[in-house]
């Protein structure tokens, strides 16, 4: 996959994890899901940074 598509994929994973956390009645599970969402968001931001650096440096 291309990095931009990977970034979108990780953003979607984060969104789903947050939705599941909001719907969960278990506070421990909700916290773990929110932590996973943060990890996915960080990965998406890293992939976008790498993509923009590659496109800027490659020109």
């Amino acid at each position: 996959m291309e990095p931009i598509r990977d970034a979108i994929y990780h953003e979607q994973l984060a969104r789903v994890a947050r939705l599941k956390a909001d719907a969960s009645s278990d506070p421990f599970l909700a916290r773990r899901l929110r932590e996973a969402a943060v990890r996915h968001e960080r990965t998406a931001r890293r992939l976008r940074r790498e993509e923009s650096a590659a496109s800027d440096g490659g020109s």
Side-chain angles (χ1 to χ4, degrees):
M1 264 202 240
E2 299 173 17
I4 192 71
R5 293 183 75 187
D6 287 340
I8 292 169
Y9 175 72
H10 284 281
E11 289 169 350
Q12 291 172 347
L13 288 175
R15 180 179 164 272
V16 169
R18 288 193 188 280
L19 289 173
K20 287 184 178 183
D22 291 341
S24 175
S25 61
D26 182 359
F28 298 109
L29 176 61
R31 180 178 177 173
R32 294 292 304 266
L33 287 167
R34 287 188 182 99
E35 290 171 351
V38 169
R39 282 194 304 273
H40 290 307
E41 289 168 346
R42 287 179 183 161
T43 303
R45 286 194 302 267
R46 180 181 53 81
L47 290 169
R48 288 193 187 275
R49 270 195 317 271
E50 290 173 359
E51 176 66 18
S52 71
S55 66
D56 291 344
S59 305

